[in-house]
Amino acid sequence: MPGEAHPLDRPAAGAITSQFGRQQVPDYLEGLNEEQRDAVVSIDGPLLVLAGAGTGKTRVLTTRIAHMINTNRAWPSQILSVTFTNKAAREMKERIEKLVPRLEGMPWMGTFHSIGARMLRAHAGLVGLTSSFTILDTDDQIRLIKQLLDAENIDEKRWPAKLFASMMDGWKNKGLLPKDVSVADSGSYANGMGGKLYYAYQARLKSLNAADFGDLLLECIRLFKENPDVLAEYHRKFKYMLVDEYQDSNVAQYLWLRLLAQGKPASEANICVVGDDDQSIYGWRGAEVDNILRFEKDFPGAKVIKLERNYRSTGNILKAASNIIAFNEGRLGKTLQTDVAEKGEPVSVTQLWDSEEEARTLGDEIEQYQRGGEDLNSMAILVRASFQMREFEERFIILGLNYRVIGGPRFYERKEIRDALAYLRLVAQPADDLALDRIINVPKRGLGDSTVQLLHGAARAADVPMLSAIRMLVETEDLKPKQRTTLRGLVAQVDDWAFRAESLRPFELVEQILEESGYTDMLSADKSVESQGRKENLKELSRAMEEFDTLGSFLEHISLVMDRDSTDAADAVTIMTLHGAKGLEFDTVFLPGWEEGTFPSQRSMDESGRAGLEEERRLAYVGITRGRKRVRISAAQNRRIHGLWQSAMPSRFLDELPADAVEVTDTGSSYGGYGYGGGGGAASRFNKADPFESVYQTPGWQRARAQQSTRKSGGPVTIDGDLVARSVDIGNDKSAFSFGERVFHLKFGYGAIAGIEGNKLTIDFEKAGRKKVLESFVSKG
C-alpha cells in the first residue's frame, strides 16, 4: 500500500540484481542498463539524473513512474510529473498506460504552465480572480499594453508595446511581482514609467478576470507564499515529484518547484530532476543552467546518476561531441559512451570557398546518398541562423530534391520576405493590387479598414487599379486631410522607387525601399527575439538579389522558386535551426556555416560574454549528437555581404574537435577565381539633392514619362522599340453629370455641381460647403 517501505527503495548501483533475490525481475525493468535501472528504482530522497544525449531518459522517467505505481509506493494522483512540452506529456502517458496494468487514474502530468493554470483555477479567489479566468494570448496582451500607454500619454512609436511586453516577460520569468522590480530595471522604459505600468497592467488583468502566460507561475508562487495552508495541501497531496529537461527551467519555475518540494527537509525531499547541463541552449528565453548545476546544494545528500551510455550515435560522433563540450567550464561533467564496436565514419570537416559552393556540395552529397538507397527523411541540415537556409532551398529546387523547413516557413514564404517582395512587385507593376493591399499599412500608416475599403470601392467603381484610384482620391476631399497626405506620400514614394529602379541594381533598391518605407525602423523598434531574425532574413534577401541586374529578372526568378508544391513530400530533407533540432535524430546530419561570427554567433558572445560562448558550444554539442551514422561539418572561406566578398575565419569549435575522430578536406582553392571587394561597376545611387539632374534622358526617365502620358489615353507607348505603357484610363472625356445638377454624396449630403474636370466634380454642398469629389461617389439627387 502507499507509504509502506519497499525492498527496491534506493539500491546501490551494482547491487540491483541482488535486490530481487530469486524474485522475477519485472518485465519493464528488462533491457535497462545498470544506470537506467538504478535511476528507476531509487525512489526516495532527492535524485539528479544527468542524462546525456541519446541515453534513454524518457524511458527512465516513464518506467520510474510505472515502478512507483506497480510497487504501491504511490497512487497515480500522488505523483507530479513536469514536462517541457505537451507532446512529451502525451508520449509519457501513453507509455505509462502500457507499463501499468489496470491503471486507475493518471499522475498530475503536464508543462509547468498547464499545471500552474490547474492550481490557479482551484484557488483563483485567493489571487483576485475567479476560476473561469481568461488566459491572454500575445495579441491581447499587446492590445492591453497599448491602452495603458495611451492612458499615460506615452508615445507607442518611441516606446513600443512589444518592448514592454518583453520586459515584463523577463520580470515574470524571474518571479518578480511589481513590488519586486528595482528602480533601475523599471527605469529603462518610458523614462522611468516601467514600474508604474507594470502595476497598472497587473491591476487591469484583475479587473478583466484574466492572466497572461507568465502569471500562471508568478501568481502560483504568490499563492503559495501568502497562503501556507494551500501550500501544505499540495505537500500532502504529492508524495513524489519528477521534472524533465531541468536544465531549461527559468527562475520562476525553479522557485515554484522549490516551494512544492519543501514538504520535507531538503535532504529527504522526494524530487527527481532529469536533464543535461550540456544541452542547456535556451538562455535567450530565460533558461538558467545554474538551476541544474546547483541541485546538489539545494538538496544536500542528493544522489546523482549519470546516464552516459548512448544508444544513438557512433563512437566517432560521440568522441567529437564529448571533446567539444569538455571546453566548457560550467558543467557537471560526463562522457558519452557506446557499446557499438565500430567507431563508424569519422566526422567530416570540409572547408569550402564560399556559401554557394557549400550549398552545391551538400546538394551533391545528398543526391549521392539518395542514389545509394538512403531516404531523404534520414538526412537533415541544421543551421545556426534561419537566413542560412535560403541558398540550400534554392539549390534543392534546382536539383529537384524534396525538402521541408521545420519550425518556420520556407525562406520566401516568411512574412518579412513577402512584405519586401510586395513592395518590389508594386514598383515593377503599379497595377498589382494584391501587393499594394499587403503593404498599404505595413508599417502602420494610420489607415483604418474603412479607408482601405473605400480605396477598393473607388478602384472597382472606376475599373482601375487601386494605386490609380488613390491618385484620383488624393485630389478630392472624399478622404480626410491626414489620409490624403499619407496616401499622397505613399504614391510619391512608389513613383520615386520606380524611377530609381531603372538605374539601381535590385539589391540596392530593396535596401532603400525598406529604409525609406519605415520597415527597417519598425523591426528595430520591435525588441522581440524574432525581430533580429527577421532583420537577418532581409539582409539575406538583399544578398540573394546581388546576382540579378534587373528587378524584372529577380521577380521572375522568385515566381519560379515559389511555384512548387507547398505540401511536405513523403520523403524530404529536413532543414531547421540547431535550437529546433533538440530531441531529434537523423542518420546523416549536415552542419554548415561553422565560421567565427556565424557559429559561434557574434551577437550571442557580445551580449553574454563567456556565458554566451558556452551556450554556443552547447549548441554545437546538440548539433553533433543529432547524428546516428555520420556528421558532416562545413565552413566557407568567403561570404558576400552587401556586394562585397569578405573572408570568414573558421569557427574556434573546429579546433576543439579530436583529430583522431575527424577527417578534414579543403576544397577552397578549387574556386579561387573569385576576388575580394566585388561590387565594382554598380550603378551610382539616386541623387536626392537634385533628383532629376543628368537623368532626364535615361531610359528609366523616358519610361516614367511614357507611363504618365498613358494615364489618360490608356494606350501603349513605345520608346526605342520597347512597350512601356501599362497604365489604365483614370479619366473620362465626358461626364454623366452636368453643370448645376443636384446630386447626393453619402458623406457630404446634397449639393449642386459647380465644376466638372474629367471624372472629378466640384460640388457646392448645402452643409459641407464646396468640395472636390469623384463622380463615382455621387448619385443624382
Side-chain angles (χ1 to χ4, degrees), residues 212-227:
D212 64 20
F213 204 60
D215 286 330
L216 299 180
L217 286 181
L218 185 69
E219 291 289 10
C220 257
I221 294 171
R222 183 164 75 90
L223 171 70
F224 295 157
K225 287 183 176 180
E226 295 179 358
N227 301 275

Side-chain angles (χ1 to χ4, degrees), residues 197-271:
L197 288 168
Y198 189 12
Y199 272 106
Y201 175 83
Q202 292 299 100
R204 182 64 176 141
L205 286 181
K206 293 297 185 292
S207 67
L208 294 171
N209 191 34
D212 64 20
F213 204 60
D215 286 330
L216 299 180
L217 286 181
L218 185 69
E219 291 289 10
C220 257
I221 294 171
R222 183 164 75 90
L223 171 70
F224 295 157
K225 287 183 176 180
E226 295 179 358
N227 301 275
D229 56 324
V230 174
L231 182 58
E233 177 185 333
Y234 285 108
H235 287 162
R236 290 190 295 271
K237 180 175 183 58
F238 298 126
K239 291 190 61 178
Y240 297 98
M241 295 174 57
L242 301 91
V243 186
D244 192 12
E245 303 286 7
Y246 191 59
Q247 78 281 350
D248 293 330
S249 59
N250 60 34
V251 174
Q253 292 162 345
Y254 168 80
L255 294 173
W256 183 82
L257 284 168
R258 282 296 305 271
L259 287 166
L260 286 171
Q262 286 176 357
K264 291 184 177 182
S267 61
E268 300 175 15
N270 291 331
I271 180 170

Side-chain angles (χ1 to χ4, degrees), residues 263-403:
K264 291 184 177 182
S267 61
E268 300 175 15
N270 291 331
I271 180 170
C272 168
V273 299
V274 181
D276 184 0
D277 53 318
D278 292 333
Q279 295 189 71
S280 180
I281 59 174
Y282 299 117
W284 48 274
R285 68 184 189 195
E288 291 280 353
V289 68
D290 285 347
N291 290 348
I292 194 170
L293 297 179
R294 66 169 175 242
F295 183 81
E296 292 177 87
K297 293 182 180 178
D298 290 337
F299 299 94
K303 183 173 183 176
V304 179
I305 299 175
K306 296 181 180 181
L307 304 184
E308 299 175 299
R309 198 172 306 180
N310 178 280
Y311 293 93
R312 174 189 300 159
S313 307
T314 65
N316 279 329
I317 290 174
L318 296 182
K319 187 169 185 178
S322 297
N323 221 71
I324 277 189
I325 201 63
F327 282 83
N328 271 4
E329 296 178 4
R331 62 189 297 259
L332 296 170
K334 62 184 176 306
T335 302
L336 295 180
Q337 303 167 356
T338 179
D339 290 337
V340 179
E342 296 182 4
K343 293 183 178 180
E345 295 183 24
V347 172
S348 167
V349 176
T350 306
Q351 185 156 331
L352 302 152
W353 178 251
D354 60 21
S355 55
E356 293 176 0
E357 187 190 0
E358 185 177 55
R360 288 194 298 270
T361 301
L362 264 64
D364 292 345
E365 290 182 5
I366 290 171
E367 282 194 314
Q368 183 178 347
Y369 292 137
Q370 188 183 34
R371 286 194 294 269
E374 298 193 30
D375 294 335
L376 296 179
N377 281 335
S378 69
M379 299 178 237
I381 297 175
L382 309 181
V383 299
R384 174 61 183 88
S386 60
F387 71 84
Q388 295 174 254
M389 296 179 181
R390 183 198 60 82
E391 282 181 311
F392 297 110
E393 292 187 49
E394 293 198 352
R395 184 62 186 167
F396 292 170
I397 290 169
I398 292 172
L399 295 175
L401 279 172
N402 291 327
Y403 72 92

Side-chain angles (χ1 to χ4, degrees), residues 356-643:
E356 293 176 0
E357 187 190 0
E358 185 177 55
R360 288 194 298 270
T361 301
L362 264 64
D364 292 345
E365 290 182 5
I366 290 171
E367 282 194 314
Q368 183 178 347
Y369 292 137
Q370 188 183 34
R371 286 194 294 269
E374 298 193 30
D375 294 335
L376 296 179
N377 281 335
S378 69
M379 299 178 237
I381 297 175
L382 309 181
V383 299
R384 174 61 183 88
S386 60
F387 71 84
Q388 295 174 254
M389 296 179 181
R390 183 198 60 82
E391 282 181 311
F392 297 110
E393 292 187 49
E394 293 198 352
R395 184 62 186 167
F396 292 170
I397 290 169
I398 292 172
L399 295 175
L401 279 172
N402 291 327
Y403 72 92
R404 65 173 68 88
V405 175
I406 303 296
R410 294 180 173 91
F411 183 81
Y412 288 111
E413 294 171 355
R414 291 181 167 90
K415 180 185 183 302
E416 63 275 9
I417 302 301
R418 283 187 174 273
D419 289 343
L421 293 178
Y423 274 105
L424 293 170
R425 284 164 45 200
L426 185 62
V427 168
Q429 174 52 272
D432 192 336
D433 284 0
L434 293 176
L436 178 57
D437 201 44
R438 182 179 183 93
I439 57 88
I440 194 168
N441 218 23
V442 179
K444 296 292 185 183
R445 295 186 171 90
L447 302 172
D449 292 341
S450 59
T451 301
V452 175
Q453 290 172 4
L454 179 68
L455 300 178
H456 281 294
R460 287 194 299 269
D463 194 23
V464 298
M466 209 161 100
L467 193 64
S468 298
I470 292 174
R471 294 183 194 278
M472 295 186 293
L473 284 170
V474 296
E475 301 301 326
T476 73
E477 295 175 76
D478 291 299
L479 297 169
K480 295 178 182 178
K482 184 177 180 180
Q483 296 167 337
R484 290 202 302 270
T485 301
T486 298
L487 289 169
R488 190 178 286 117
L490 177 60
V491 170
Q493 279 188 319
V494 173
D495 289 343
D496 191 13
W497 295 327
F499 174 69
R500 284 186 247 175
E502 300 296 337
S503 57
L504 291 177
R505 294 186 64 193
F507 81 90
E508 297 175 301
L509 179 66
V510 74
E511 290 171 2
Q512 294 184 20
I513 288 175
L514 293 171
E515 186 70 31
E516 295 169 13
S517 67
Y519 201 95
T520 301
D521 289 340
M522 177 187 74
L523 290 182
S524 297
D526 181 2
K527 301 301 181 182
S528 66
V529 175
E530 294 80 8
S531 175
Q532 184 61 35
R534 292 187 180 112
K535 287 192 282 188
E536 290 176 350
N537 287 338
L538 289 172
K539 289 178 183 177
E540 179 61 18
L541 173 67
S542 173
R543 205 209 70 69
M545 298 174 70
E546 291 169 6
E547 60 185 275
F548 297 93
D549 293 324
T550 67
L551 180 58
S553 62
F554 172 72
L555 291 176
E556 181 177 343
H557 167 75
I558 292 302
S559 65
L560 295 175
V561 167
M562 298 183 72
D563 184 22
R564 65 190 302 274
D565 188 0
S566 62
T567 60
D568 284 342
D571 190 31
V573 179
T574 296
I575 305 176
M576 65 192 310
T577 64
L578 286 162
H579 282 101
K582 189 166 175 288
L584 303 178
E585 55 186 74
F586 304 89
D587 285 349
T588 303
V589 167
F590 296 91
L591 301 173
W594 278 44
E595 305 125 27
E596 285 295 301
T598 300
F599 191 44
S601 162
Q602 190 62 48
R603 181 161 59 94
S604 179
M605 293 188 292
D606 289 345
E607 291 177 355
S608 304
R610 174 170 289 279
L613 174 60
E614 294 210 344
E615 181 156 319
E616 291 291 300
R617 192 174 280 114
R618 291 194 290 269
L619 263 180
Y621 173 85
V622 166
I624 293 173
T625 54
R626 298 312 93 193
R628 286 191 290 251
K629 295 180 179 179
R630 62 182 71 90
V631 171
R632 307 189 68 80
I633 299 171
S634 58
Q637 294 182 32
N638 304 281
R639 288 197 184 272
R640 190 167 54 182
I641 301 175
H642 300 306

